[in-house]
Amino acid sequence: MNRQPIVSLENVTKSYGGINALESANFELYPGEIHALAGENGAGKSTLCKLIAGVISPSDGTVRINGEVVKLSAPKDASERGISMVYQETSLVPQLTVAQNMVLGREKTFNSVRKVRNAARQVLQRLNFKVDPSQLAGSLSTAKRQMVEIARAVLNQAKVIIFDEPTAALTPEETDHLFDLMKTLQAEGVAMIFISHALEEALNHSDRISVLRNGKLVVTGNADEFDRGSLIHHMIGEELNEKMHVPAKRHEARSALPVLRVENVRMGSMVNNMSFSVFPGEITGIAGLIGSGRSEVAKVIMGHTKRNFGGGRIWLDGREVRYSLPAQAVADGIAYVSEDRKLDGFFDTLSISENIGLGWMAKFGRRALLAPLRKMRRISREWEGKLSIRSIGTDQSVLYLSGGNQQKVVIAKSLVQQPKLIIFDEPTRGVDVGAIAEIRQIVRQFAESGAGVILISSYLPEILDLSDRILVAKSGTIVADFPRADATATKILHAAIH
Amino acid sequence: MAERKSMAEAGRRKRNLLEIIVVAVTVALIVIFSVVVDGFATFGNFRVILSNSASLVILSCGMAVVIISRGLDLSLVAVMIAGATTFTIFINADMPVALALLLTVGAMVMIGLANAWLIAYVEIPAMLATLASAMLVVGLFRFAILQGEFLLLLSKTNPAVIALSGDLLPGVSVSAVVMVAALLVTWFLLRGSAAGRTIYAMGDNFQAARLTGLPVRTTTITVYVFAALAALCAGLVMSAASGAVDFRTVTNGTLLFEVILVVVLGGIPLRGGRGGVLNIIIGVALIAVLRNGMTLMNFTAQMQDVLKGLVLIVAIVADNYFNPRDTETDTVGDL
């Protein structure tokens, strides 16, 4: 292709706190092209899109639009250059009408309701969308809201439209309609990027496909050069396939009784008839895409989420339980290590010793009148040593620790409760490389001590490295159950994606 | 070792600069009033300030504990008046003082429990739950018990009233003793008790406290019952001093704002998780000195409100200037 790319990235890197979300990526987008991005969770697809849309700025490298070097520091910079992004969670203001949403941020000082509505109607009709411009955006279905976002991009004369998982919430008919529309826009010279977990969509509807893995853009090629197998192969990578047949570490006969049994648990639209068992002394890995209902079922088991509970039964050590408060679950010996430690993991104004000590107090000091401060400090020191938490003192605030040490504090806070079942939700997310190995070692040791361990992770190598048994969740249901020896990254990914 | 220690201090969260500013402003006000106002810098006036601020301190103790747990109790002043009314009616009916006190305490505990139940079990936001219970309590008491009256007079000859408004020892008033006792109990609750650990944890990160398995419901009950009892103590001290229970204290709202002002100016952020007894004392000191000085200078009540509002704005702007928020420390609701 000799034409000039409309967008090009040269050696672009984006790092968060020393971890590269995207590493020296070279990417080109040509006018009138539909370009699909494939990759596992966290491979860097969204990062790439957000860089082009100006939502985030690159740490290093050059972004060119129409050959001209640009610095996009806000979405506005990108939209002024004709780049629009259609988000996964739609970004319309529900209280405004469709027409108002379409001109949002570009209003003149005085707006005629009629003119705005007519302009919106013209675009909607040209795109063959059956949406009333004077309807409130909040009353629209997900598919229609997405249409409005696309119409907004067209109204703004977008030259580049980026779709973040556009088909995730659409029915098959709506999906077809969307791809027809993309073809129409393509004919008008609009370039499009779309992220999709449904590999068939990428193969059938795009001109070119780029595959990302671990923050690196590993391959770009014409869509007809790929098939499903080769895409998955690129997504997983060579080195992992070689490592796959590590022998399982423990072979003892599984004790007959599961420590936890979950049957047909439902919660809202996220958890849909989830059933599985967890055996003591084993690590049960749950793989799946983000949004497959894994964390949600963990929070239902803990009693943290009780709204929208749609039924189902849970047994702990053969006794049926249903907690309405995590305190009850903790008292019975369940612990949950949060996937987002800043949101609901640690107490950021409190010291390391208070953080770990509070975990101990929640289980063993419930009836105490006096604060067991000395005991809390002693326990904390002991566990700081066990998990080699590196700090300048047990009184240091957790906020100033590195990600890895913060995560160890959160884990210690749960381990001091000596649970018989512990749920690790993304235990190595946002953790420095050195600490990842240490944390995995902690997880393994804890299972070896005889407790049941659930490991929720979107990172396949982690699941494969640690688990004795691997479950795969998809749309709120467990769709596959592999013994350790049978599991491969390819099988898991085949089960997890549409 | 010394180096380690200073590093450890650097690692701890920066002390809230607001406290230092408020102390500085208080000292400056004391200096200015001493020079400008005759009779401000006297021992007699110091005692007046102390006894006038007794009920404010006691109320602030209740409010501070609630706010540190990331709650808010807008029913505090209503409960204060309700407690004083209940007690007054009992002793006016010649009930033995001990029994009257016991029954009143029981009634106030019930109100605290009702607040806590709405917040911890029904999961209504604390602001709405306590606002509703405040209106309910005031309406009920004025309608059913006072038949629409604003004032309930205490019998000046009742030994309980005499005792409460008098001196325990020569020069040491009962109200001052109750005030110090309230501060000590608050200090113990926050620093010494197991519930206190949970209160700070809830204020710091409620979801984390819940997921860790801390007894968040029981602690919410403790917090709101404590606030109701603090309100009762304040009500007894205040009505014994003035000889009447005045419902306008609730309906004009000034006292409730003043209590929140004390807590916030003292350096306890509304998002909770930080602060202690020292912060209450800092906050009350400023408000009490300001109130006393302005009264001595014959400022009208309206003018006093204007100045108090200005002080709050200046303190917050100064805090923002010296202690700018960044993404690391910024939290929704942080003040």
Side-chain angles (χ1 to χ4, degrees):
Chain A
M1 271 186 243
N2 291 325
R3 290 172 300 156
Q4 188 190 37
I6 182 162
V7 175
S8 75
L9 305 185
E10 287 160 26
N11 292 317
V12 167
T13 298
K14 176 67 191 179
S15 58
Y16 294 99
I19 298 164
N20 285 338
L22 192 66
E23 203 177 316
S24 38
N26 286 295
F27 176 84
E28 285 176 338
L29 182 72
Y30 293 92
E33 176 191 22
I34 300 182
H35 198 125
L37 295 182
E40 285 186 72
N41 292 330
K45 297 168 308 225
S46 292
T47 309
L48 181 75
C49 291
K50 285 181 186 164
L51 281 168
I52 297 173
V55 178
I56 51 179
S57 335
S59 313
D60 196 18
T62 320
V63 180
R64 284 175 198 271
I65 293 178
N66 288 324
E68 175 197 346
V69 178
V70 290
K71 208 171 141 37
L72 308 170
S73 46
K76 198 171 186 314
D77 298 342
S79 72
E80 276 166 4
R81 292 179 169 84
I83 300 174
S84 281
M85 186 149 173
V86 175
Y87 288 93
Q88 206 171 349
E89 290 95 25
T90 57
S91 60
L92 301 181
V93 182
Q95 293 88 349
L96 297 181
T97 67
V98 167
Q100 283 167 335
N101 265 295
M102 283 171 65
V103 296
L104 197 63
R106 289 168 171 262
E107 294 96 339
K108 301 186 186 70
T109 316
F110 296 102
N111 290 280
S112 145
V113 175
R114 196 169 47 81
K115 273 188 192 153
V116 166
R117 196 169 53 214
N118 286 345
R121 181 173 289 135
Q122 263 179 9
V123 173
L124 289 168
Q125 277 172 354
R126 182 156 71 86
L127 297 174
N128 202 12
F129 287 167
K130 290 177 190 64
V131 181
D132 176 5
S134 48
Q135 208 177 347
L136 288 186
S139 65
L140 297 176
S141 68
T142 315
K144 285 195 170 168
R145 262 184 259 175
Q146 204 169 45
M147 288 178 180
V148 174
E149 290 214 43
I150 297 168
R152 168 159 74 184
V154 173
L155 181 72
N156 294 343
Q157 287 158 351
K159 290 277 163 278
V160 176
I161 304 180
I162 304 165
F163 297 88
D164 190 357
E165 293 204 40
T167 57
L170 301 188
T171 65
E173 298 79 50
E174 289 165 341
T175 305
D176 286 344
H177 188 177
L178 176 73
F179 284 115
D180 285 346
L181 176 78
M182 285 170 73
K183 290 264 164 6
T184 317
L185 292 172
Q186 184 181 25
E188 293 178 13
V190 177
M192 280 159 282
I193 302 174
F194 79 97
I195 299 176
S196 179
H197 281 298
L199 299 181
E200 274 70 27
E201 287 176 0
L203 289 165
N204 295 339
H205 298 286
S206 67
D207 303 315
R208 292 199 302 157
I209 301 176
S210 289
V211 182
L212 289 104
R213 183 174 75 235
N214 291 338
K216 294 197 186 79
L217 205 158
V218 287
V219 66
T220 298
N222 290 333
D224 48 23
E225 294 166 15
F226 295 100
D227 58 27
R228 191 180 163 91
S230 67
L231 277 182
I232 288 182
H233 178 79
H234 284 300
M235 284 162 71
I236 295 167
E238 207 62 64
E239 64 275 25
L240 186 67
N241 278 318
E242 285 165 14
K243 272 204 315 198
M244 245 155 20
H245 293 291
V246 183
K249 283 143 230 108
R250 291 175 297 280
H251 290 288
E252 319 98 74
R254 164 190 291 172
S255 69
L257 278 177
V259 59
L260 177 83
R261 192 148 72 86
V262 173
E263 214 176 271
N264 294 328
V265 165
R266 292 180 297 279
M267 194 272 292
S269 58
M270 296 299 289
V271 182
N272 191 13
N273 270 334
M274 190 84 91
S275 301
F276 61 91
S277 296
V278 178
F279 294 89
E282 278 191 359
I283 300 176
T284 304
I286 307 185
L289 301 172
I290 289 164
S292 54
R294 298 169 300 165
S295 308
E296 288 75 11
V297 82
K299 287 185 174 172
V300 169
I301 294 170
M302 276 304 283
H304 190 61
T305 312
K306 56 179 193 289
R307 293 225 163 92
N308 298 324
F309 182 68
R313 303 171 77 183
I314 298 165
W315 288 266
L316 182 71
D317 272 343
R319 186 168 63 89
E320 186 162 2
V321 291
R322 172 82 197 112
Y323 303 114
S324 56
L325 200 65
Q328 302 158 349
V330 167
D332 280 1
I334 311 181
Y336 171 73
V337 178
S338 161
E339 63 178 319
D340 188 339
R341 55 181 168 272
K342 199 162 160 47
L343 187 72
D344 53 19
F346 60 76
F347 305 105
D348 64 4
T349 61
L350 304 184
S351 66
I352 298 172
S353 97
E354 279 179 296
N355 267 276
I356 298 177
L358 280 168
W360 179 84
M361 206 183 89
K363 175 89 181 261
F364 302 108
R366 297 176 58 78
R367 304 267 176 271
L369 175 68
L370 296 178
L373 291 176
R374 215 172 282 150
K375 179 85 178 165
M376 284 163 72
R377 279 180 76 92
R378 202 171 57 69
I379 297 255
S380 171
R381 277 223 196 85
E382 182 189 324
W383 282 86
E384 280 168 53
K386 274 189 198 171
L387 304 193
S388 50
I389 295 170
R390 280 171 286 273
S391 69
I392 45 175
T394 193
D395 293 326
Q396 194 191 0
S397 164
V398 186
L399 198 61
Y400 299 100
L401 292 178
S402 71
N405 284 312
Q406 284 180 342
Q407 187 68 14
K408 285 188 199 165
V409 169
V410 176
I411 292 174
K413 181 161 70 72
S414 287
L415 292 189
V416 293
Q417 299 177 337
Q418 300 167 6
K420 49 187 160 193
L421 173 73
I422 185 161
I423 305 168
F424 289 102
D425 198 349
E426 307 283 358
T428 58
R429 178 183 285 175
V431 162
D432 26 302
V433 182
I436 289 180
E438 288 179 291
I439 288 173
R440 292 197 186 151
Q441 189 57 34
I442 294 165
V443 173
R444 197 171 288 136
Q445 275 172 1
F446 199 69
E448 275 161 13
S449 74
V453 174
I454 298 179
L455 170 72
I456 298 174
S457 177
S458 298
Y459 188 52
L460 277 183
E462 182 162 283
I463 289 267
L464 286 164
D465 184 34
L466 286 175
S467 310
D468 297 302
R469 193 163 62 99
I470 298 168
L471 310 176
V472 182
K474 183 172 105 181
S475 315
T477 316
I478 298 292
V479 290
D481 182 347
F482 300 108
R484 174 67 189 79
D486 291 356
T488 63
T490 319
K491 282 187 189 172
I492 294 173
L493 215 53
H494 268 288
I497 56 188
H498 310 285
Chain B
M1 192 63 209
E3 197 188 355
R4 265 182 77 86
K5 182 148 183 156
S6 71
M7 269 174 76
E9 258 147 36
R12 282 195 73 91
R13 203 176 170 111
K14 260 189 292 178
R15 192 144 184 90
N16 201 343
L17 214 72
L18 186 64
E19 299 158 28
I20 299 158
I21 295 168
V22 169
V23 171
V25 170
T26 311
V27 172
L29 278 176
I30 292 175
V31 172
I32 293 169
F33 285 144
S34 303
V35 174
V36 177
V37 185
D38 277 347
F40 178 81
T42 60
F43 183 68
N45 190 44
F46 175 71
R47 283 198 60 189
V48 169
I49 294 181
L50 207 60
S51 64
N52 278 355
S53 43
S55 57
L56 187 60
V57 170
I58 301 167
L59 280 177
S60 302
C61 286
M63 187 63 96
V65 169
V66 174
I67 286 183
I68 289 171
S69 78
R70 197 178 287 187
L72 189 64
D73 191 350
L74 297 181
S75 68
L76 205 60
V77 176
V79 174
M80 172 183 99
I81 292 298
T85 310
T86 314
F87 184 71
T88 306
I89 288 170
F90 284 154
I91 60 165
N92 281 358
D94 290 328
M95 190 184 275
V97 174
L99 182 63
L101 198 61
L102 198 70
L103 288 175
T104 315
V105 166
M108 295 309 109
V109 169
M110 294 303 290
I111 297 180
L113 281 176
N115 276 337
W117 179 75
L118 286 174
I119 293 159
Y121 291 83
V122 191
E123 295 180 355
I124 296 174
M127 193 168 73
L128 298 180
T130 55
L131 186 63
S133 69
M135 295 171 86
L136 191 89
V137 165
V138 173
L140 196 70
F141 272 77
R142 280 200 57 207
F143 168 75
I145 297 164
L146 298 180
Q147 269 98 35
E149 285 295 320
F150 266 117
L151 275 174
L152 177 67
L153 295 176
L154 276 74
S155 90
K156 288 273 183 197
T157 54
N158 191 296
V161 179
I162 295 169
L164 268 172
S165 56
D167 284 1
L168 193 67
L169 297 167
V172 182
S173 67
V174 173
S175 64
V177 172
V178 176
M179 175 175 85
V180 172
L183 286 170
L184 286 176
V185 172
T186 308
W187 178 83
F188 171 77
L189 177 66
L190 288 176
R191 297 289 161 192
S193 76
R197 300 296 89 209
T198 307
I199 290 173
Y200 281 100
M202 283 164 65
D204 181 295
N205 188 338
F206 181 80
Q207 294 304 331
R210 200 167 183 270
L211 270 172
T212 305
L214 290 168
V216 289
R217 281 184 176 164
T218 336
T219 309
T220 306
I221 293 174
T222 310
V223 162
Y224 285 91
V225 169
F226 175 81
L229 291 178
L232 171 62
C233 289
L236 295 183
V237 167
M238 183 184 259
S239 52
S242 66
V245 183
D246 188 350
F247 271 76
R248 280 168 297 195
T249 322
V250 195
T251 45
N252 73 15
T254 321
L255 185 59
L256 186 64
F257 288 135
E258 230 160 53
V259 172
I260 297 176
L261 197 64
V262 162
V263 172
V264 170
L265 283 181
I268 301 174
L270 282 179
R271 61 163 289 223
R274 274 181 281 165
V277 167
L278 190 65
N279 300 87
I280 303 173
I281 296 171
I282 292 172
V284 174
L286 176 65
I287 293 299
V289 167
L290 197 63
R291 200 157 65 171
N292 177 268
M294 290 189 301
T295 309
L296 289 180
M297 289 170 84
N298 283 327
F299 280 31
T300 61
Q302 291 78 6
M303 197 60 211
Q304 295 195 14
D305 283 346
V306 170
L307 281 174
K308 273 185 264 177
L310 278 176
V311 167
L312 180 64
I313 292 170
V314 168
I316 290 173
V317 170
D319 182 42
N320 265 329
Y321 180 78
F322 289 115
N323 204 5
R325 303 296 190 257
D326 56 37
T327 45
E328 272 298 280
T329 52
D330 196 25
T331 314
V332 180
D334 209 348
L335 201 81

